[in-house]
Amino acid sequence: NAGVTQTPKFQVLKTGQSMTLQCAQDMNHNSMYWYRQDPGMGLRLIYYSASEGTTDKGEVPNGYNVSRLNKREFSLRLESAAPSQTSVYFCASIRQSEQFFGPGTRLTVL
Amino acid sequence: KQEVTQIPAALSVPEGENLVLNCSFTDSAIYNLQWFRQDPGKGLTSLLLIQSSQREQTSGRLNASLDKSSGRSTLYIAASQPGDSATYLCAVNPPSYGKLTFGQGTILTVHP
């Protein structure tokens, strides 16, 4: 049981490039979330998916898109990366109102 | 809008001390409150989850309390150890659960 997994662990992009952050959970949880963590700002919700086939915006959705591919997988896409998107990105899933987090992806946009 | 504040921002204690970390929130209409631990460069590990109807939860040397009416929670760590050094985050869940609001965290250092 791997819990919540994220790929890649590290990524460096140039401004304007695109990429997709992958997240998967093997705990059969319905709800999944994407957060970003920045110094002095704490963790902020980008998007979430309450169940397979549904997605909703969180606190800071601009510049991102998401796909809930199936119950296991929830991906986050940056279409045109900007330096302001340099951050650590965490995926999480929820079971009985308790959240479980992945190890994170460290993204740097130059 | 819910706001979560954690005090102190950083804490350094000698090994063996009992300590208390504080978390306050502005909107008492919460579904539950969760305490996490985060090691440098790592993800968040769930420590304790307190439902809004509960007053406290315990796990080993950790005890978390919740006072919804005053908008406060405390995390008590007994007999601290160097391995407890990490950032501790609290997060509150609104009634439409799942959209956690996090505090900024308390950086704890336990020195031998």
Side-chain angles (χ1 to χ4, degrees):
Chain A
N1 190 336
V4 180
T5 57
Q6 293 183 237
T7 56
K9 291 186 177 179
F10 301 94
Q11 184 71 49
V12 178
L13 293 177
K14 294 181 180 178
T15 296
Q17 287 185 318
S18 63
M19 79 161 294
T20 299
L21 282 64
Q22 306 287 352
C23 173
Q25 52 92 10
D26 60 2
M27 298 175 283
N28 202 35
H29 294 168
N30 287 321
S31 301
M32 298 182 71
Y33 305 81
W34 276 105
Y35 294 89
R36 60 178 289 174
Q37 185 177 36
D38 303 289
M41 301 294 292
L43 277 132
R44 293 178 292 170
L45 182 65
I46 306 171
Y47 269 93
Y48 68 102
S49 171
S51 61
E52 184 179 351
T54 68
T55 61
D56 285 288
K57 295 178 180 179
E59 183 183 354
V60 288
N62 292 343
Y64 306 95
N65 285 303
V66 290
S67 295
R68 184 72 183 270
L69 304 170
N70 47 55
K71 194 171 186 179
R72 288 189 66 249
E73 298 171 293
F74 188 36
S75 62
L76 179 72
R77 183 161 178 85
L78 287 70
E79 291 292 351
S80 179
S84 61
Q85 295 178 305
T86 293
S87 187
V88 181
Y89 291 84
F90 289 102
C91 177
S93 66
I94 190 167
R95 178 195 68 193
Q96 295 180 349
S97 74
E98 184 174 6
Q99 291 215 357
F100 297 88
F101 282 76
T105 294
R106 292 185 174 275
L107 175 66
T108 301
V109 183
L110 303 175
Chain B
K1 178 185 174 185
Q2 178 75 269
E3 292 182 1
V4 180
T5 303
Q6 291 187 245
I7 294 173
L11 182 63
S12 180
V13 299
E15 182 177 5
E17 270 202 11
N18 302 323
L19 56 98
V20 174
L21 307 181
N22 296 291
C23 172
S24 61
F25 45 95
T26 55
D27 186 350
S28 62
I30 65 169
Y31 187 74
N32 59 43
L33 183 145
Q34 197 166 353
W35 281 95
F36 295 89
R37 168 185 173 138
Q38 186 176 28
D39 293 293
K42 304 292 185 182
L44 280 69
T45 301
S46 179
L47 296 173
L48 289 164
L49 174 72
I50 310 177
Q51 302 294 348
S52 61
S53 58
Q54 297 176 317
R55 296 284 292 182
E56 64 179 297
Q57 280 283 356
T58 298
S59 176
R61 294 182 294 108
L62 305 180
N63 176 277
S65 67
L66 175 64
D67 184 342
K68 252 183 51 172
S69 59
S70 67
R72 294 182 182 180
S73 177
T74 61
L75 180 66
Y76 175 83
I77 302 177
S80 58
Q81 303 170 357
D84 294 330
S85 298
T87 298
Y88 290 81
L89 296 150
C90 72
V92 296
N93 228 339
S96 55
Y97 76 89
K99 297 170 71 173
L100 293 178
T101 300
F102 283 84
Q104 296 283 336
T106 294
I107 302 172
L108 173 65
T109 303
V110 181
H111 48 88

